[in-house]
Amino acid sequence: MTVKKLFLSLLSATALCAASAQDKNDASLTFYLPFDGDASAAQSAGDPKPVTAKNLSFGEGIDGKAVFIGSGSVLEFLTEKNLRQDRGTVMMYFKPVWEPSDVVAGTEKSK
């Protein structure tokens, strides 16, 4: 059986991400990752621990903590039981930490 991974990385982008404030005890949630000080899922149908968590840092978010994902950051989870591949919803807050003038059509300008 091939191990599938959910790869959560923002290539070259730097951002603060935090999960929504949805009730983490909601039985309809398959995977709840609040980033409240660590990279493990608070609720999961599968393995809650990341397969890979590199170059992550945590700071203040909209509701609790947030994760800082920058260049060289990698966050991977097993998808088995954690992600339905036929449908679903992904929700997160995203806070860019670059100036709009530094980005052209989704790529960084050369300095």
Side-chain angles (χ1 to χ4, degrees), residues 43-60:
Q43 179 178 326
S44 66
D47 190 349
K49 302 260 186 238
V51 174
T52 307
K54 292 182 183 177
N55 300 321
L56 305 175
S57 60
F58 299 88
E60 293 305 312

Side-chain angles (χ1 to χ4, degrees), residues 31-50:
F31 192 74
Y32 177 68
L33 185 58
F35 294 120
D36 203 14
D38 71 25
S40 295
Q43 179 178 326
S44 66
D47 190 349
K49 302 260 186 238

